Amino acid sequence: MIKFINNYLKIDSKNNSLIIVKHDNRSELVYYGKKLADHNDYSYFSSGCKDKCFASNCDYTNIRSVIASNGECAQKSSSVGVIKNGIFTNRFEYVSANIVEGFDSPLPNARNKGQTVCLEYVDVISKATLKQYFTVFDDCDVIATHTEVINTCECPITVNKLMSLQLDFIALEANVSTFDGTWVNERTRHNTHLTGSRFEISSALGITSAEHNPFMIVEINGGVMGFNLVWSGNHKEVVEISPFGRVRVQTGMNDYQLNYELKPGEKLVAPEAVMVYAEKEETVTNQMHKFILNHIINPNFAYKDRPVLINNWEGTYFDFTGDKIYEIAEKAASCGIEMLVLDDGWFGVRNSDACSLGDWVDNVEKTGGLKNLADRIKSLGMKFGLWVEPEMISPKSDIFEAHPEYAQAIPGVEPIERRWQLCMDLCNPEVLEYLSDILIKLFKETGVDYVKWDHNRSMSDVYSKCLDNQGKYFYNYYVNQYELLRRITEACPNVLFESCSSGGCRYDMGIQYFMPQCWGSDNTNAFCRLFIQEGTLVGYPQSTMGAHVAAANTFPNINIESRFNIAAVGAFGYEFDITKSTDSELDIIKKQVSYYKEHRKLLQYGNYIRLGSIFDSDLTGWMLVSDDKCEAMAVVVDKTENGRFKYQRFSFAGLDETALYKVSMRPQANVDGIFEFTAYGDALMNGGLDFYSMINCEIKEKEEAGRFASRMFYIKKIN
Ligand code: GLA
């Protein structure tokens, strides 16, 4: 509920309150935390210090703001910058706040909104208008917010900064957790303790990037807050602590190369940001997962079973024929696998990564006819999926020869190639038309059930002949990219899309709005996946995370049963040449697939709870618990690498303390016997099971014992 009480605006989610007060033509954030009752007065929360009587050689204002204008002699980061007639300084003053029916945005934003309030400000210097929206949702504690600048002046203005969210707090320190990395090492967790300093993460690569995911956790005064953006482009997150004891948190699009000219009447809408407050991180995770499933993911897929797939990439790379793919599908179908995904190399003359991107035309000689191949695979009772990389163009391609201007490049300058490819100039409406026509035709004619949509290089040489001002490039690129995705997903409503970007380099809510799954990482080594997946799942639900059992050719050589236990927490599949598997391996795969299908709902949509952390201990695990706590899956992993397991205990979590449960270990080919027992929830959650003894007496394969072990449990309430 959003309420106006006296001169306070009280924005209540289910369990949180955010309170803003009008204060000297400013909006002051006086409270964000646990829900408060509706009192008539919150003035005791206000900073109380009038602007003009605050010390002279420091910040202009002492109050906690939800916006900050450029150049108002504030040391801390501003949230909005508008240039008019060469003047960079603004002073946005609060005008009004009203409940509104919604807002227009060319960008994806949360579905199924509850109430929205719009705060309006006018810059007394340029006369531009700033609107700031806050939205609540009936079923969760997430609050969404964003800003927009409208040119209400008589001449053009330029926006050079527009953050989506700003919150100020009173504190001298903060703990920040960010999810950073590299290609093949995405979303690994970093914890930073901040005092008297400024912390910033960002991306300027044209994608959200593996370097820094926009999801961030900030702990201040004992409260834990999660922040994220519904956005896939350049972003920036700031946590800044002033020695005066003010903490400023900001998230939004990066102002890198942002120079957005608005004619009178035009507006620039920032991406939607989301925030949630909780007393512990586990609740932030749970709330973010629920929010993404209920308000971001396409409702056609939000709680729908995700098929068990096999992808040929790591099995064949470019070296395949239609018959080889059919053989893979046939073997996979005999194991119960439900979908074959044909990866890169089926189009143009692409037998290596040096050519053909943009030529989305079947290489009939190689595939034996794509439609024919899809039909043969479907006759096995399987679904058919296809890889594309629409936002890219190879200089060696028919499309580049015909339309070199479709590539991102500055006129007269040789653009930088990466993986022998250039980015398409999506700011050019012709590119948008070309891609939407050719892709919709391809997907419909082939009858695909699934599309893996890749994006394998970051942007450079950004330039579009269609823009009068290149400072619009990074923003307009995504306006058109989302438009492309909207057209395609509307034309193909039953096709499941999985986003990929050299693995997990564009893993964000903007992409998830159209594509319910994201390939977690090109790193399919189960050991490394423990880190990547733990980091990913802090902010994103497991059904969004593509995770596959890969071949056993990586170090450490992890048994296929453990590879399954680790991949089964995501949108699950296999990725190796199954035609080379032995009969006993096929038998194991068959059992795994059938077990996964039996428990699919829990594995894909159960409430995720972390049992430990791979970042600070050898023993780790996770649970997936049903809403009613009657059923749960648990995975426990010991990654001790020194050849000797230690006695280590683990406890389950998230169960009903008073209920009696039966705990059954998933039968594994490398484990003798069956392990089952019954116990009450309180004992399971507090007692601590001895993992060393459990695995030591059952282990069959000694080589695994020295390095790595994992077990999966099904926990069912029996009384
Ligand atoms: C990227 C993806 C891989 C695969 C290749 C194909 O690297 O992350 O999974 O699809 O492209 O070129």
Side-chain angles (χ1 to χ4, degrees):
M1 268 301 261
I2 299 177
K3 293 165 205 155
F4 296 97
I5 305 169
N6 299 324
N7 68 337
Y8 296 92
L9 168 63
K10 187 157 178 274
I11 301 169
D12 284 344
S13 66
K14 261 177 118 176
N15 301 293
N16 293 340
S17 294
L18 189 149
I19 304 175
I20 294 172
V21 59
K22 182 180 174 302
H23 183 91
D24 290 347
N25 296 330
R26 287 165 180 274
S27 48
E28 181 179 8
L29 172 75
V30 292
Y31 181 81
Y32 181 42
K34 203 173 163 179
K35 192 170 191 166
L36 301 180
D38 295 343
H39 302 301
N40 284 335
D41 184 19
Y42 295 104
S43 57
Y44 40 84
F45 281 147
S46 175
S47 293
C49 181
K50 292 272 179 286
D51 292 342
K52 290 196 179 94
C53 57
F54 198 54
S56 56
N57 244 349
C58 54
D59 278 6
Y60 169 65
T61 175
N62 186 38
I63 66 169
R64 287 160 282 163
S65 335
V66 279
I67 61 144
S69 309
N70 240 359
E72 60 177 16
C73 86
Q75 163 64 19
K76 292 192 288 299
S77 304
S78 62
S79 68
V80 54
V82 167
I83 309 165
K84 187 182 145 193
N85 295 334
I87 298 171
F88 284 69
T89 296
N90 315 120
R91 202 176 308 142
F92 280 96
E93 294 195 344
Y94 174 93
V95 177
S96 62
N98 292 294
I99 305 283
V100 291
E101 277 309 310
F103 52 83
D104 296 329
S105 172
L107 308 176
N109 53 80
R111 307 166 199 268
N112 312 321
K113 290 182 156 69
Q115 277 182 307
T116 299
V117 64
C118 174
L119 280 64
E120 204 170 311
Y121 307 79
V122 169
D123 176 14
V124 295
I125 298 171
S126 71
K127 305 285 184 276
T129 300
L130 175 75
K131 288 190 178 175
Q132 178 176 45
Y133 296 87
F134 291 92
T135 298
V136 290
F137 302 87
D138 298 339
D139 57 349
C140 65
D141 274 321
V142 167
I143 296 175
T145 184
H146 74 281
T147 50
E148 63 185 40
V149 168
I150 307 158
N151 185 350
T152 39
C153 320
E154 68 299 335
C155 62
I157 58 169
T158 302
V159 181
N160 67 354
K161 189 165 194 184
L162 186 58
M163 298 303 276
S164 301
L165 170 149
Q166 176 179 303
L167 299 178
D168 283 358
F169 301 93
I170 300 174
L172 282 163
E173 55 183 350
N175 293 312
V176 185
S177 300
T178 48
F179 301 87
D180 321 285
T182 60
W183 170 67
V184 300
N185 185 27
E186 298 91 337
R187 292 173 302 288
T188 45
R189 185 184 184 119
H190 292 103
N191 298 325
T192 309
H193 179 70
L194 286 178
T195 53
S197 56
R198 184 175 186 279
F199 173 92
E200 178 182 314
I201 55 165
S202 65
S203 166
L205 296 170
I207 45 175
T208 32
S209 87
E211 275 74 358
H212 302 291
N213 194 272
F215 175 64
M216 167 172 80
I217 290 190
V218 183
E219 196 190 320
I220 297 172
N221 299 328
V224 190
M225 290 167 286
F227 299 96
N228 207 344
L229 289 173
V230 191
W231 175 242
S232 310
N234 293 337
H235 61 94
K236 191 186 217 178
E237 288 71 33
V238 173
V239 182
E240 190 167 7
I241 306 196
S242 83
F244 285 113
R246 287 286 184 276
V247 182
R248 171 161 295 173
V249 178
Q250 288 181 338
T251 71
M253 64 177 155
N254 197 342
D255 45 327
Y256 167 74
Q257 293 193 6
L258 179 75
N259 194 49
Y260 208 100
E261 192 181 285
L262 296 175
K263 298 199 177 67
E266 289 182 341
K267 65 178 179 179
L268 177 66
V269 185
E272 192 166 50
V274 301
M275 60 184 126
V276 65
Y277 171 91
E279 279 167 8
K280 38 183 196 165
E281 184 179 308
E282 188 181 309
T283 316
V284 169
T285 292
N286 186 269
Q287 288 290 317
M288 284 291 182
H289 284 204
K290 285 262 164 341
F291 175 76
I292 291 176
L293 286 171
N294 296 341
H295 301 282
I296 296 295
I297 303 288
N298 175 348
N300 287 347
F301 293 98
Y303 288 97
K304 202 168 163 188
D305 285 357
R306 305 295 171 78
V308 177
L309 64 81
I310 186 152
N311 179 305
N312 72 301
W313 178 245
E314 290 189 14
T316 67
Y317 295 105
F318 292 103
D319 185 16
F320 62 84
T321 60
D323 286 339
K324 174 71 188 180
I325 298 297
Y326 180 74
E327 259 180 64
I328 293 176
E330 214 176 14
K331 266 278 151 54
S334 75
C335 294
I337 294 173
E338 299 161 308
M339 181 161 76
L340 179 290
V341 178
L342 175 57
D343 212 281
D344 195 356
W346 59 266
F347 54 92
V349 287
R350 188 157 162 104
N351 291 311
S352 79
D353 42 9
C355 68
S356 298
L357 293 171
D359 294 344
W360 302 111
V361 180
D362 181 13
N363 180 346
V364 183
E365 229 174 86
K366 189 169 177 183
T367 62
L370 198 58
K371 166 77 174 136
N372 173 50
L373 178 60
D375 289 347
R376 286 171 78 198
I377 287 167
K378 287 183 184 187
S379 72
L380 296 166
M382 290 183 106
K383 291 173 189 282
F384 179 72
L386 194 64
W387 180 96
V388 285
E389 198 182 353
E391 294 155 81
M392 297 296 154
I393 183 163
S394 306
K396 268 197 210 144
S397 64
D398 294 343
I399 187 68
F400 187 80
E401 234 165 75
H403 291 287
E405 79 283 8
Y406 281 10
Q408 246 175 35
I410 295 159
V413 180
E414 193 70 28
I416 298 165
E417 284 182 32
R418 294 219 172 103
R419 205 192 186 202
W420 299 279
Q421 63 196 64
L422 302 173
C423 294
M424 284 267 195
D425 170 18
L426 258 169
C427 294
N428 180 345
E430 262 183 54
V431 173
L432 173 63
E433 293 307 319
Y434 168 72
L435 288 174
S436 64
D437 290 351
I438 198 165
L439 292 171
I440 291 172
K441 189 159 168 277
L442 169 71
F443 298 155
K444 288 201 163 183
E445 283 180 2
T446 316
V448 297
D449 300 294
Y450 160 106
V451 168
K452 178 176 173 187
W453 180 300
D454 217 330
H455 182 290
N456 279 321
R457 65 155 290 178
S458 46
M459 294 184 202
S460 64
D461 304 272
V462 297
Y463 178 88
S464 176
K465 67 173 184 146
C466 301
L467 294 177
D468 48 1
N469 171 351
Q470 303 305 320
K472 290 183 171 176
Y473 195 96
F474 282 116
Y475 183 85
N476 283 21
Y477 180 95
Y478 274 99
V479 171
N480 281 359
Q481 201 267 2
Y482 291 137
E483 169 61 14
L484 176 64
L485 283 170
R486 188 193 60 72
R487 287 187 196 179
I488 292 175
T489 50
E490 279 178 19
C492 308
N494 299 318
V495 175
L496 172 64
F497 284 80
E498 176 155 341
S499 164
C500 177
S501 182
S502 308
C505 302
R506 191 167 63 179
Y507 202 118
D508 57 71
M509 294 199 293
I511 278 298
Q512 289 177 352
Y513 187 89
F514 300 98
M515 307 205 227
Q517 296 182 189
C518 292
W519 179 222
S521 176
D522 275 349
N523 191 339
T524 48
N525 176 326
F527 177 81
C528 303
R529 274 285 183 144
L530 287 173
F531 296 85
I532 296 167
Q533 295 187 175
E534 182 184 315
T536 303
L537 296 177
V538 181
Y540 300 91
Q542 70 270 16
S543 61
T544 65
M545 183 182 72
H548 299 169
V549 171
N553 56 4
T554 48
F555 180 82
N557 197 354
I558 295 170
N559 188 282
I560 190 167
E561 295 287 26
S562 280
R563 279 180 274 145
F564 170 83
N565 290 342
I566 292 164
V569 68
F572 173 67
Y574 292 85
E575 189 160 338
F576 52 78
D577 185 354
I578 199 171
T579 63
K580 295 190 181 139
S581 296
T582 60
D583 286 348
S584 63
E585 199 172 50
L586 289 174
D587 189 53
I588 293 172
I589 295 170
K590 216 176 273 176
K591 288 181 178 141
Q592 291 178 345
V593 172
S594 128
Y595 191 87
Y596 184 87
K597 287 181 183 167
E598 193 184 334
H599 300 289
R600 172 167 19 208
K601 267 267 151 358
L602 263 180
L603 290 166
Q604 294 182 350
Y605 296 107
N607 295 310
Y608 170 83
I609 302 173
R610 216 160 24 83
L611 294 181
S613 175
I614 195 72
F615 291 96
D616 51 41
S617 106
D618 284 336
L619 195 71
T620 186
W622 51 89
M623 287 187 70
L624 305 154
V625 186
S626 66
D627 283 340
D628 60 9
K629 302 186 176 187
C630 287
E631 279 189 294
M633 300 297 304
V635 174
V636 180
V637 178
D638 190 333
K639 69 158 177 73
T640 313
E641 290 156 89
N642 61 7
R644 264 172 299 127
F645 283 114
K646 291 168 271 191
Y647 286 105
Q648 292 190 89
R649 291 164 8 126
F650 75 94
S651 300
F652 293 119
L655 303 171
D656 175 353
E657 287 196 336
T658 59
L660 183 63
Y661 291 94
K662 180 169 168 192
V663 181
S664 314
M665 200 183 84
R666 179 178 79 83
Q668 294 185 188
N670 58 339
V671 172
D672 286 328
I674 293 169
F675 182 75
E676 261 181 12
F677 64 96
T678 55
Y680 280 92
D682 60 349
L684 290 171
M685 291 192 290
N686 298 302
L689 298 168
D690 180 348
F691 196 64
Y692 176 80
S693 305
M694 187 183 294
I695 58 170
N696 198 37
C697 57
E698 291 161 351
I699 210 96
K700 255 196 344 201
E701 291 181 15
K702 288 281 178 254
E703 73 270 25
E704 193 189 32
R707 289 192 196 291
F708 199 98
S710 72
R711 297 290 182 270
M712 182 182 271
F713 303 89
Y714 174 59
I715 303 163
K716 169 111 183 121
K717 180 173 168 181
I718 48 175
N719 210 338

